[in-house]
Each structure stands twice: as C-alpha cells, then as structure tokens.
Amino acid sequence: MRTRPATRAAQYVAVVCYLIFLGFPLLWLISSSLKSPQEFASIDPSFLPKHPDFSNFTDALEEQGLVRSMLNSLQISVASTVLVLIVSLPVAYALARFRSRLRPITNGWILVSQVFPVILIVIPLFMILRPLHLTNTIPGVVIVYTVWSMPFALWMLQGYVAAVPRELEEAASVDGASRVRTIVSIVMPLLRPGLIATAMFTFISAWNEFFFALVLLQDPQLKTLPLVLARFVGAEGQVQFGPLAAASVLATVPSLVFFAFLQRRLTSGLLSGAVKG
Amino acid sequence: MKKVLTALLAASALVTLAACGGNDDNGSGSGDSGSTEKVTLKFQSLAFQKTTVAASKKIVADWNAANPNIQVEYVQGSWDSVHDQLVTQFQGGTAPDIIHDESADITGFANQGYLADLSPYLSQETKDAVPQGVWDSVSSDGKTFAAPTLLQSYVVFGNTALLKQAGITTTGDSLSWDDLQADAKKLTAGGKYGLGWGLKSPTATVLNLGMNFDAAFFDGTGRDAKAKVGDPELEVPKRIHAMAYTDKSIDPTSLTQSASDVLPGFFGGKYGMIVAGNYVAQQIVEQGPKSFQWEVLPPLKGTSEKQAANPQTLSVPAEGKHVKQAAQFIDYFMKADNLAAVGQGDWLIPTTQAARDAIAKTTGGKNGWTQTLASGTELTKAPFQSVENYPKWKDQIATPALQSFLANKIDLTTLGKKLSDGWGQVNG
C-alpha cells in the first residue's frame, strides 16, 4: 500500500518535531553559552541571545583549565572502557555459557553490588589505593572506574552472549574450530552490538563521574571535566551560568563525536547480527 | 572484528602508558619543619569570583616571592563538594596543607580532632585584629582551629527608583523589622511586591537573622544541647509569614526560590526590595541592567542588630607535616590589604577592622559598601554553631518544617513543635 503524500509529510513533520524535542536541551545550552550575564538575569528570558557573545567560551577555556581536564577525562574514559571490555567479555561468556552453582550467586552479587552508595565505599577504597600509591593518579581512577562499571557491563554482555545461538558454536566445533577460535571468529562478530553498547555505557559513566574523581584526584593537572565544571558553582547557589554553559557545550563535543563514531558501528553490527542469526 | 580488537588493544596500551605518566606527587613537600628546608604547601582555595581567584593567586604569588623556602601551591576547590572531599581526605591523611572552608562546615572536623590548634602559631597582630565574637566561632576548648577571613551577613537590597517613588528614605544606622514591614507594604501596589525573598533553604536565614531577636534555638553544646524554641525563635518566621500572607507584601512564590532566582524580578521592578546575603551584590553589579540603580539598606534590627558569624576560614590539618609554615602563610593572608582584596572581590566583609577600613577607602563606601561593612560589626557566634547534630537537624527537621510554614501549610505552633520535637529525633 502506498503512503499518501499528506501522510508522508505529516510523518516528516512528526520526526522533525521529535528531533527538535530531543535536541532542545542542547540548543538551549548552546544559546545560553552565547548570552551575557544581563540576559541570564532578565525577567523576560529569550531563547536566542540578543547580543551573541563568545566571551563565555574564552572565560571557560582560560580560567578553569578546561582543555586539560577534557584530555584527562578522555584518557580515563577510554582506558576504563577498553579495560572493562577486555575483562568483562570472557567473564560474561563464561557466565552465559557454563552452567554451575556459582552462576546464580555471581549474578546475585552483580546486582547487589549496584545498590551500594558511592559514599559508603569511597573511604575504604581510598584506604586501599593509598598504600598502593594509586590515589592522585590517573591509573588509580581508571582502575576504580573499571571495577565500578564492570558489574553492569557483565550483566549487559551476558545477555548479548546468551542471545547468540549455541548451534553456531556447535557447528564451528564440528568443523574443528577450537573454543578460542570459535569465540574470536563466530561469537565476537555477533556480539559487536553488545560490545558497542557496553562501551557506550562505560564511556559515559566514566566521562560523567564526579565523586570518585573528586576524592582521588588532588593535583590540579589531573582534574577531570566534571570537577572543573563544578567550579562554576559557588556557595549558596551562585552559578556562573554563561561560562558553565560554554564549558558544558565544549564538554559535550567529545562524547558526541564518540557516540557518532560508535553509533554507525552499532547499526551495522545489528544488521550483520540479524543476517547471521 | 579482528581490526576492532587490535585497535582496542592498541588504544588500551597507549592510554595505559599515557596514564602511567600521571603525576602522583602529593606535593606536600617532605622533611620536618626546619626553616632552611624548602617545603611546598598545598592551599586549596574555594575562591569563586574571578576577582577573588585573582586576588588569592596574587597573595600566593607575593608570598612565594618573599618566602623561597616555603612555597605555596594554589589548588582550586569547589564550595559544592568541599565537605565530602574533606571527609575522605582527613580519613586518608591527604588533606591540603591549608584548607579554605566555612566555619559551620569545619566545626565537625575540629571536634573530631582533624584540625591543628593554630593559636601557638598565629601572630599577636592577627589575634588582636579579629573581634573575640568571631574568634569564638572558630574556637573550642581553648583551641583555635581556624583563622576567620570573611563574613557574610543578610542585608536588604533596595531598588532606588521604587524606594524614592514610594517616599522611602533609607538613612539611619539601622532598619527595624517594623520599618521593613511598613516599607514593604508601601511598595506593594499594582501587581508589584514590596519584597522578594528567596527562602528556598530557609534555615540559615532564619537562624542567623533570629539573633536580631535573641533567638537561641539551642541550649547547651555538643550532643548535650537541648532544643529551645520559644517566642524569640519564632519571631523571624512569624514576621515573614505575616508579610507574605497577611500584608501580602512578600511575593509568596519568591519564598520557594533561591536568592539568585529572585534577581530577575528585582531587576525587572517586580520587587522593591530583596533580602539576601551581601555576596549577592556582586551578581547585582554583574547581571543588573546598566541603568538599574540599587542600594543596600541599613542593617536589620530587632532587639539588636546581631547576626550569626559563620566566617570563611583557613585551617590546617592536625596531621600536617608543616603546621607552622602553613600558619605563617595564613598569618600573611590575614594582612589587611590581602583580606581587603579577597573581601572586595567576593563582596564579603573582612573579619579585621583594618581590612574593612581598606575596603571603605578603596570603594568610597559606594555600591552599598558602607551599609555592608556596617552589617558586619554585630556578627557573633550563635548557639547552633556549638551543636554537634545541628547539620542533621537543619536538613531533616528545620528546613522542611520552615518550608511548610512559609508555604502556609502549618501554623506557628506546629512549626515550633516540629522544630523542638525534631531535635529529639535527630539527636537521640
């Protein structure tokens, strides 16, 4: 049945409206980053800045060491993402494929570990990392983020592994492939969407994480992006809205690029999985 | 897929190598406190305004130039997270050598023994320069656990044009609460309110201004303190409520906003006056329309002009390796010109008269500085500042109870009962 032109137009309008709805916070953020302090305090705020001004970006970049903190965050986020994927993949595979009495206990523990509040574990964690000289270091934060993201990553990946038909592995085995070969050549290509989704989750968790970084990193040269963004908020609710909005816009760029990069692979992965499944 | 894996592994190796290059120096220097050995002290400053950050950095630079053996490293902290950060750092023994925080926040740390007694190290000049009432807010058991630097008071800001239009003059040494109420009524007309008051977090305001009427709220100190909620303690909320719901001279919606949230209405002429911490002056100057004329009214007075002193402070960890040197820097920070520079940047009141004089001279008393500085003369330690579970009571009991009262959901008697009974719950 052919879609009427009017229906098609309505569909496009709906999609555009939805995209605007989704993108509105970002548009508002960009608009805010170009406003002057007077415009923020106007009783009649406008969506578009009346006199666009880039000084908020200059302030954000010059005053708060934003670029350095972005590089630190990028370094930490990429490292923890890679480590989480490397460690969780074999564990998730084992949990999904091998039946044992330990499996429900392990899965239960994974779920329980998600309910601990950060504030509860941060001091013991600090006491463990300190004698190892891992406080105030990027590797220390990477290890913490890896461990912190691991349970959920395992939970996610386990589901993806379980969704891969066992028959494919059995067929590979019949053809003489070893288990490692089977995993590398058969399972992993089908797991690509799961790996990418897990990578996205881990990356964004690390990119946005505040509290561990606050406690573990003291050296100004090592501060991560969320720590620097927090500096735009003062005592008693004072906020430097303009520079904060500008810094937030800049902070969004790397994660947008990362997501755009992975999103394409996520889509192609889904398709390839569908064909092979 | 192999390519992806290889890329991931390569990225991992690169990032790990890069990460290993991270600086793990805690920067605290080493060795004992010998005067010939070079030490480096970390000074975590919470300076927020550009001007104050610049002033603080200049103080550090001047000190470093004059003291090659005691170098101070400026580290930027954040008000938003300093408490949680310090909790962990004290536990782990990695707190900065010089800690910037407010008195109310570090009192708990001092009681737990985390802060050094600075009294043997601070100069007599510094000790004499700060009023005893302010020293009391950073002292316990005869020990001084911090040096008080800047003070905040609550002041009334007025829209000069609207005040003139309503025939209100703002001369005199003080402004009585009755006058405030009468002025607010005069200014209320044509959909405009006399007063906008951002009381989203009302406890600090009510307890600080309550001292205008000798409100104590607590009798005793530490965990033995008992709640004391009578007429003097309920006077400030009663008056605010009366203005909001009887006179209708306070915009009731403003009561649910923060001090900064009411600024657009103040700039737009919706409110003739606002009550806020004096630091808001900085936002008025920066954000207000160029044509906007404003003033600070004289300090509020009930039976007195007293308000609680909750100064910003500089303190030193008890386990710090260089307590003496850190105290020397604090002593330097307390010099009149230095305190005046950071005070002026933050629109806060320096704790020493010499620094206040310096600001008065520099500013000529303009932009409300005369009244702002005057509002600091009666600041003193409040009973709640010696009560261990006050923060718990504030968050769990007082704030929701006051919010309910100011929203006209409970009456004054119920408020008093909630404040009083709630203390038993959190201090049990």
Side-chain angles (χ1 to χ4, degrees), chain A:
Chain A
M1 200 173 89
R2 290 186 63 186
T3 310
R4 285 185 190 173
T7 310
R8 184 169 293 274
Q11 284 172 341
Y12 279 121
V13 169
V15 168
V16 168
C17 288
Y18 187 59
L19 286 176
I20 290 173
F21 173 75
L22 287 181
F24 189 78
L26 188 60
L27 295 175
W28 182 265
L29 190 66
I30 292 168
S31 160
S32 299
S33 68
L34 299 170
K35 286 182 177 175
S36 64
Q38 284 78 15
E39 281 192 76
F40 280 108
S42 168
I43 198 167
D44 184 23
S46 59
F47 175 66
L48 293 174
K50 286 173 187 155
H51 309 287
D53 178 9
F54 286 89
S55 61
N56 290 326
F57 286 91
T58 323
D59 284 353
L61 286 167
E62 284 177 1
E63 297 294 326
Q64 306 281 358
L66 194 72
V67 174
R68 190 176 55 232
S69 71
M70 283 168 81
L71 291 173
N72 289 338
S73 278
L74 197 62
Q75 201 177 12
I76 290 170
S77 304
V78 172
S80 19
T81 303
V82 170
L83 280 176
V84 164
L85 290 182
I86 290 173
V87 179
S88 5
L89 183 61
V91 180
Y93 183 82
L95 282 171
R97 284 289 186 250
F98 303 118
R99 304 280 161 190
S100 84
R101 286 181 186 173
L102 279 178
R103 192 183 166 205
I105 297 170
T106 310
N107 280 334
W109 179 245
I110 287 171
L111 283 180
V112 168
S113 69
Q114 294 295 291
V115 303
F116 288 124
V118 176
I119 191 79
L120 197 71
I121 63 161
V122 74
I123 291 173
L125 186 69
F126 192 85
M127 306 303 270
I128 293 166
L129 291 175
R130 197 170 169 230
L132 299 171
H133 302 289
L134 284 170
T135 55
N136 205 23
T137 65
I138 284 183
V141 179
V142 170
I143 290 169
V144 171
Y145 286 1
T146 304
V147 173
W148 188 249
S149 300
M150 192 82 76
F152 194 77
L154 270 176
W155 190 259
M156 280 176 79
L157 274 179
Q158 215 184 130
Y160 282 102
V161 174
V164 175
R166 279 173 183 273
E167 291 76 10
L168 288 173
E169 291 180 55
E170 286 164 6
S173 175
V174 169
D175 288 344
S178 66
R179 185 169 287 278
V180 173
R181 175 72 193 272
T182 307
I183 291 172
V184 171
S185 304
I186 307 292
V187 179
M188 284 189 63
L190 295 171
L191 273 183
R192 191 195 279 183
L195 288 170
I196 289 168
T198 310
M200 282 174 156
F201 162 77
T202 312
F203 180 88
I204 210 69
S205 302
W207 185 257
N208 290 332
E209 205 286 328
F210 175 78
F211 194 66
F212 285 128
L214 172 75
V215 170
L216 295 173
L217 298 173
Q218 292 173 50
D219 192 320
Q221 306 294 322
L222 300 179
K223 299 280 182 189
T224 58
L225 191 60
L227 299 182
V228 170
L229 290 181
R231 289 184 203 156
F232 294 102
V233 180
E236 310 238 358
Q238 293 180 88
V239 182
Q240 294 175 357
F241 284 111
L244 177 60
S248 302
V249 169
L250 295 171
T252 310
V253 173
S255 49
L256 277 181
V257 170
F258 183 80
F259 271 77
F261 175 74
L262 284 188
Q263 177 70 27
R264 275 197 324 207
R265 277 150 184 78
L266 180 64
T267 313
S268 66
L270 281 168
L271 290 173
S272 68
V275 172
K276 288 185 182 178

Side-chain angles (χ1 to χ4, degrees), chain A residues 210-211 214 226-227 229-239, chain B residues 46 48 77-85 101 105:
Chain A
F210 175 78
F211 194 66
L214 172 75
L227 299 182
L229 290 181
R231 289 184 203 156
F232 294 102
V233 180
E236 310 238 358
Q238 293 180 88
V239 182
Chain B
L46 306 181
F48 173 66
S78 156
W79 280 108
D80 207 30
S81 51
V82 66
H83 180 81
D84 291 337
Q85 193 178 29
D101 198 358
D105 195 42

Side-chain angles (χ1 to χ4, degrees), chain B residues 120-185:
Chain B
Y121 305 112
L122 294 175
S123 69
Q124 197 57 41
E125 187 191 346
T126 299
K127 288 176 182 171
D128 293 343
V130 178
Q132 191 55 45
V134 179
W135 277 122
D136 289 345
S137 67
V138 289
S139 306
S140 64
D141 301 331
K143 292 176 181 169
T144 302
F145 52 82
T149 56
L150 301 174
L151 293 155
Q152 178 205 306
S153 63
Y154 288 90
V155 293
V156 184
F157 295 94
N159 178 323
T160 304
L162 293 180
L163 291 177
K164 264 189 192 165
Q165 208 178 313
I168 297 168
T169 51
T170 58
T171 51
D173 293 336
S174 60
L175 176 73
S176 75
W177 278 81
D178 290 339
D179 287 340
L180 175 72
Q181 193 164 355
D183 291 347
K185 265 178 109 170

